[in-house]
Amino acid sequence: MQQTDKYKLNKPGVDDPITPVPLNENADKIEAALTAEAETRAAGDAALDSRVTVLEANKIVFGTYAGQGARHVDLGFTPKAVLLEKCQNYGYFAMAMAGATTSDGATGLRLEIVEGGFTLQPSTSSFGTGTMIYIAFA
């Protein structure tokens, strides 16, 4: 009886006796290989689930918005820190940490972390309009 080159599965020939043994051996080899593959994937999936859980607990969210005036940005979680940059007219960079408010007398900007996100309260006369870019860390 011949066998396949790569997986060594039985290939009954025309002159081989008719018996289910070679076919059963093939089925056993295939089942063993599929079982091993499934176990390897399950172990990899468990490790991936663990890494995703850790990453979800340490969220980092990037975003932008355009406009003028006070703004509440809802993130769906309360960040530990927020970095904010105004990128039009003139650059401005601000950072707020949980439990502390950032205020700047020159621009009138007040950045504060609140439940579920952060608020930005610029002085519309001194801060103007533009696009804000933020990064929030859980």
Side-chain angles (χ1 to χ4, degrees):
M1 177 164 312
Q2 296 180 14
Q3 290 186 325
T4 60
D5 292 333
K6 189 171 185 179
Y7 297 109
K8 303 300 180 204
L9 297 175
N10 295 318
K11 293 172 47 176
V14 221
D15 297 332
D16 290 332
I18 297 176
T19 173
V21 174
L23 300 177
N24 289 341
E25 288 174 354
N26 287 347
D28 290 342
K29 287 179 183 179
I30 291 169
E31 183 176 22
L34 291 173
T35 300
E37 175 66 22
E39 290 171 356
T40 300
R41 283 182 187 243
D45 289 349
L48 179 60
D49 287 346
S50 175
R51 290 194 314 257
V52 168
T53 301
V54 169
L55 287 173
E56 286 177 344
N58 297 297
K59 293 180 185 174
I60 300 174
V61 175
F62 300 85
T64 64
Y65 66 87
Q68 180 176 353
R71 179 77 52 136
H72 171 76
V73 177
D74 184 17
L75 300 170
F77 66 94
T78 303
K80 293 182 178 138
V82 175
L83 301 173
L84 177 80
E85 182 177 9
K86 182 177 187 305
C87 60
Q88 291 176 330
N89 299 337
Y90 61 91
Y92 181 79
F93 177 79
M95 179 175 151
M97 302 287 286
T101 300
T102 299
S103 295
D104 183 345
T107 62
L109 174 72
R110 183 169 183 247
L111 178 61
E112 181 177 14
I113 292 175
V114 296
E115 186 69 29
F118 65 93
T119 59
L120 174 68
Q121 297 175 339
S123 165
T124 57
S125 61
S126 63
F127 204 68
T129 62
T131 299
M132 301 291 181
I133 300 171
Y134 64 85
I135 303 173
F137 301 88

